[in-house]
Amino acid sequence: MDMAKHLKRLTPFFFLFTVPLLATDAINDPEPTIRSVWVDAHTNLLGSPSLDGRYLSLVDVETGDLAVLDLSTREKIRLTSNPPESREFAYFSAISPDSSRVAYAWFNDEEFYELRLVSLADSESRIRPGEPRVVFRNPEAGFVQPCSWSPDGEQILTLLFRKDNISQIALVSARDGSTRILKSLNWVYPKKMEFSPDGRFIVYDSTVTEESDARDIFLLSADGSSEVKLIEGPANDIFPVWTPDGKAVVFASDRGGTMDAWMIAVTDGKPAGPPRLLKKKLGRFLPMGITRQRDFYYGLRTGHSDIYTVELEQGAASIKGKPTMVRGRLTGTNTAPAWSPDGRYLAYLSRWGTENYAQESRVVTIRDLDSGKEHIVSPKLAYMERLRWAPDGGSLLVGGSDGKSRAGLFQVNAKTGETTPIVRRRSTNFRGFEGVWSRDGMTVFYIYDEPEQGFSIRRLVVETYEESTLHDTPPNFPMHDLALSPDGSRLAFATKDPLIEHAEVLQVLPVDGGAPRKLLTARNATLNAVEWLPDGSALLVGTPGKPTPSIWKIAATGGDPQRLPIRIDHNGRFRLDPQGRRIAFASGRQQSEIWVMTDFLPQKQAAR
């Protein structure tokens, strides 16, 4: 949801000349010790450490429940009980100062977030969660994020993101849910905010102007009456957290050319000297909190994802040569390639700007494969998941969500980035809808996800907004990987097999009406790409596997699938160019990790 990007106005010369000297001053301090805390396929950065260092709150991604990780035993304990078929889930959370309660965001069955509390009821040897209690519920504030507790445990520092595109820094009473708005901001909300240990101030990061997307760090009085800028400069200064004594703020910054950990002393709500370097080259790290034992917990994004192309032999029988990486301005975080109708341009999504605890900010990179030139467009969307070119090559059909939490399909001008909604609805799916253009560019076919009712393939005439349903499935039978045949008469898609457990089927649906026809059943597998050959005689279908995923060829009339000798390590949907001569795909893996840093405070600071 956050669309943070890069770079702001010039800093005073004082900071420019003192930063290198301060970095040298830190040499006499002990080298911080860093160790891994939690690294697996389920790691997420949606919680925080408790101040006593006993727990880490998190989301159990398998169930959608709120949970805590016991940092001494490594046991994961669920605090809520989400039914298996529920579409509700927990999101951000914060543990109270005495570790007795957890405040958390919960996406409810009415499709908005509410603020809840649950008791840990710790009996010293075992957690016994209490009954969750709703403390804030307002459909107009569609998104809530508990960030920090007041030291007395009475107030929850909460980010509200209203449906009118305004974010607010608010205090919500943990007793009765009464709410006090301290400050309203624009649609770009703080990445991190936290109460000072004495409860007098709130530190947060934010952009300064709508014209500039770089972030500075601010100190807001806890009653909202005054504010000072703690950190400013041309760099991105983000994710501020307080040291346990409240005499300094630790933050992430790229002011040194890499993303490093810095600290600034604070006295009576004002900066007490320039920032000081703590640790260089931490990578894509996201500060989460510092315990009373001075253990600094932070998230880390590792891995990469880049776009590759590879030539095919005639009829897509095999690949020719080795895949070639598309080397552009933005590397390491690229995904979702899409070919232009003439095969000259390749568009794909690239991460842009600084990290975020949840979904990342993205732009569209468009690369001219003949000249090697690139053009980057930044649609005014909160999130983008997938791309499809329009038949005339002048725009892209983008699945994603806008700044008011509305999922949909958007038409983005390939030159200017101007964005026009085609389908835009309230939905639980922030990733938006999956759609394709008709061959004449007058109609869009898309998959609509409707809570409680299921999934449907719909046809929308763009000019008149006339809409009809071609096919639907129950709620637990999602459809995906929609592909239109070259002659525009048939839609291929994947869904769960209603008769075989743990199987997916490839089906073909006539666009002029009629029932879908099954072409392929994949047992114990998920279909992750569907592409038509240019002559419409067959389809290519991807399935995951080890050591590399497989690609199958299946005739459009049915029959036995042929496993092709094509070995590409793609991490999502591959795309076949319109001439059928090349495949584009994203390869690589990215994951979230949680680490802890100790002995990071300078000796004078640690001794206080």
Side-chain angles (χ1 to χ4, degrees), residues 360-377:
E360 63 186 15
S361 299
R362 292 174 169 177
V363 294
V364 179
T365 297
I366 300 175
R367 185 176 181 86
D368 185 331
L369 297 177
D370 290 344
S371 67
K373 293 182 178 180
E374 283 185 343
H375 176 55
I376 293 177
V377 294

Side-chain angles (χ1 to χ4, degrees), residues 438-457:
S438 63
R439 298 310 171 197
D440 61 6
M442 304 296 290
T443 301
V444 168
F445 301 97
Y446 73 101
I447 299 172
Y448 180 57
D449 175 6
E450 191 167 7
E452 307 299 331
Q453 297 186 28
F455 298 80
S456 59
I457 295 179

